[in-house]
Amino acid sequence: MKPIRLPEPPSGSPIGSVPDIFEGGVYGVVRRAVIIGNGFPASENQSIGLVRALGLADKHTLYRVTRPRGVVNDWFLWLPVSLHRKLDYIIRQIYGYSQILLPGGRKKLVPLPTQNGGNIGLSSILEADVKKIVTMARETFEKEGPILVVASGRDTITVAGAIRRLASENVFVVQIQHPRTHLNRFDMVITPRHDYYPLTPQAREQIPRFLHRWITPREPPDRNVVLTLGALHQVDSAALRSAAITWHDEFAPFPKPLLVVNVGGPTCRCRYGVDLAKQLTASLQNVLASCGSVRISFSRRTPDKVSNIIVKELGNDPKVYIWDGEGPNPHMGHLAWADAFLITADSVSMLSEACSTGKPVYVIGAERCTWKFMEFHRTLRERGVVRPFTGLEDMSESWSYPPLNDTAEAANWVHDALAQRGWRLRP
């Protein structure tokens, strides 16, 4: 019997029009993605950004790992999710619906939802159930091909690792940020270089010797680890062009140069308070003469004592506009229309997004950062993408640098890793 010869693929066919039979069949074509989120925008934004860069923005499903709710549960956020849920169950059995469990003295506990996207206007964000996701990956594999699974954040680690263990032939699992566990539980780990700061000589000098064995990572990055400079995000040229159009009517009238100020909040590795707020307002007042206009926004982490000082000192200046948190978030409009940025040192995400624009980025408070945050800021300065804010700057003078492109570069690594497995992405 003669072997069956398949027809040659049509010559000159545009990309995306060649039937799957010429691409290795549906089994090797990744058409869809699953995102495992944890409810924190900074983490979920990284996963969504990577999926967007891979061309699957409209072909993904967002699942979310949720923790028990209620005042007493805020004490247990440091526990693994599974243990936290068991502890919550025990407390409920002992105390029932006691008011010590309820926020604001409510008489009823909010049940853990199976759909939990209400806070962002979505009703289709499902609870991340490992068994259901694994079953879906297996049962739809022959018809729809493999699934790209992308997770970010501490609470997602166990779920993503379990999905990969139970459905390794049907999924490709990417964990964003160092999982602080065995890296072979995932097909790929994408993490900033400063997560490996504990391995440097400087870090060894800072950590007491008896703590060395407890500090992770303990080994250099393996071949399935992709190192970035900053955080992944959704900001690219297409997103900025779209935002420029969307926010044109609001931002076009502002006098140039427009300085956008993003104020975050103190962290355990970047501590500050009213001292930084006073430094920021004094330095801003020094550069107002060279600014056409200034827009200031606060994050949900900004303490009231910090925002109150800034509002009190600058709120009445005609050049300054302070976003009050009402209405649509102007963040993307700021990224598109700003001529320069001033950002507090605590937020890796805000800095990573601003540095992807190629526009001047000034940082205030970096000298207050320690540990891996200090390493992050040192690397940014050495790359020439940020400068410390002194209050002596002339904001009419611009400077530039090669924009950070971490998300696109990480997407290229995913493409290569899929190819090594015999798979490919087809948006």
Side-chain angles (χ1 to χ4, degrees):
M1 180 180 294
K2 293 183 179 180
I4 298 175
R5 291 179 57 84
L6 295 175
E8 294 296 324
S11 60
S13 298
I15 297 175
S17 66
V18 180
D20 291 335
I21 192 172
F22 298 112
E23 296 180 329
V26 70
Y27 305 112
V29 181
V30 180
R31 304 167 174 271
R32 54 202 171 133
V34 162
I35 292 176
I36 310 296
N38 61 358
F40 290 93
S43 294
E44 294 184 354
N45 187 44
Q46 296 198 61
S47 298
I48 296 171
L50 179 62
V51 168
R52 172 189 171 93
L54 291 168
L56 299 174
D58 298 325
K59 300 173 183 177
H60 76 269
T61 304
L62 176 56
Y63 294 84
R64 184 168 285 163
V65 179
T66 55
R67 287 180 175 269
R69 301 175 182 178
V71 174
V72 73
N73 282 296
D74 292 343
W75 305 341
F76 305 128
L77 296 179
W78 57 276
L79 292 173
V81 174
S82 57
L83 182 57
H84 187 176
R85 287 175 176 168
K86 291 177 181 177
L87 185 58
D88 175 71
Y89 175 78
I90 294 172
I91 295 175
R92 286 170 182 261
Q93 297 303 306
I94 296 175
Y95 293 101
Y97 293 102
S98 169
Q99 290 189 2
I100 69 167
L101 297 172
L102 308 177
R106 289 183 296 177
K107 295 182 179 180
K108 211 171 188 179
L109 279 176
V110 179
L112 186 66
T114 55
Q115 293 186 327
N116 51 79
N119 64 328
I120 59 171
L122 298 174
S123 61
S124 59
I125 304 178
L126 305 176
E127 177 67 22
D129 186 302
V130 171
K131 291 183 179 179
K132 290 182 179 179
I133 296 174
V134 167
T135 299
M136 183 262 295
R138 289 172 175 171
E139 293 182 349
T140 61
F141 180 75
E142 290 190 7
K143 182 178 180 181
E144 300 184 45
I147 299 175
L148 175 70
V149 178
V150 182
S152 179
R154 179 168 60 92
D155 289 349
T156 69
I157 292 169
T158 302
V159 173
I163 292 172
R164 198 254 187 175
R165 175 171 55 84
L166 297 172
S168 59
E169 300 298 319
N170 314 108
V171 298
F172 186 90
V173 178
V174 178
Q175 184 72 37
I176 300 175
Q177 299 179 324
H178 199 289
R180 306 299 189 238
T181 186
H182 299 293
L183 302 185
N184 58 9
R185 294 174 60 185
F186 313 95
D187 294 296
M188 177 178 287
V189 173
I190 301 175
T191 187
R193 284 184 174 84
H194 59 257
D195 271 353
Y196 278 87
Y197 180 69
L199 297 182
T200 64
Q202 304 95 303
R204 292 295 183 178
E205 293 177 359
Q206 297 172 14
I207 307 171
R209 183 172 297 277
F210 72 91
L211 291 178
H212 283 186
R213 62 174 298 186
W214 305 105
I215 300 297
T216 55
R218 301 177 190 173
E219 299 177 353
D222 203 347
R223 61 181 181 181
N224 68 325
V225 176
V226 174
L227 298 180
T228 63
L229 176 51
L232 306 188
H233 50 77
Q234 300 185 59
V235 180
D236 56 19
S237 57
L240 290 174
R241 284 195 298 269
S242 176
I245 295 171
T246 301
W247 291 93
H248 175 274
D249 292 345
E250 179 164 348
F251 288 108
F254 278 90
K256 296 287 190 174
L258 169 59
L259 173 65
V260 167
V261 181
N262 290 329
V263 182
T267 68
C268 63
R269 297 298 179 190
C270 198
R271 297 185 182 277
Y272 62 84
V274 295
D275 56 337
L276 186 68
K278 292 178 180 179
Q279 178 187 344
L280 187 150
T281 54
S283 298
L284 267 179
Q285 287 170 339
N286 289 339
V287 302
L288 279 178
S290 61
C291 290
S293 50
V294 176
R295 286 183 63 98
I296 302 175
S297 62
F298 305 109
S299 79
R300 64 183 70 186
R301 295 188 297 106
T302 309
D304 289 340
K305 60 183 179 181
V306 171
S307 59
N308 289 342
I309 288 177
I310 295 173
V311 172
K312 178 182 177 181
E313 297 297 326
L314 298 170
N316 294 323
D317 192 292
K319 283 189 174 183
V320 178
Y321 172 87
I322 301 177
W323 184 51
D324 59 7
E326 300 295 326
N329 190 327
H331 179 60
M332 287 302 299
H334 286 166
L335 290 170
W337 282 91
D339 295 294
F341 300 93
L342 169 57
I343 301 174
T344 54
D346 54 274
S347 178
V348 174
S349 296
M350 287 194 299
L351 283 165
S352 299
E353 291 176 338
C355 291
S356 72
T357 66
K359 302 174 185 178
V361 179
Y362 296 95
V363 180
I364 188 167
E367 69 281 357
R368 291 168 167 81
C369 295
T370 60
W371 199 233
K372 65 180 184 179
F373 275 77
M374 177 180 65
E375 180 73 5
F376 171 62
H377 286 288
R378 182 188 64 80
T379 306
L380 289 179
R381 291 193 300 271
E382 289 180 352
R383 285 277 295 267
V385 297
V386 303
R387 296 179 182 178
F389 185 65
T390 64
L392 303 176
E393 292 80 6
D394 183 350
M395 290 300 168
S396 64
E397 295 181 0
S398 186
W399 46 277
S400 61
Y401 49 87
L404 294 189
N405 206 20
D406 284 328
T407 307
E409 292 173 1
N412 288 336
W413 281 100
V414 174
H415 275 285
D416 292 343
L418 289 172
Q420 292 176 13
R421 189 163 173 174
W423 293 354
R424 60 166 295 176
L425 280 157
R426 185 187 177 193

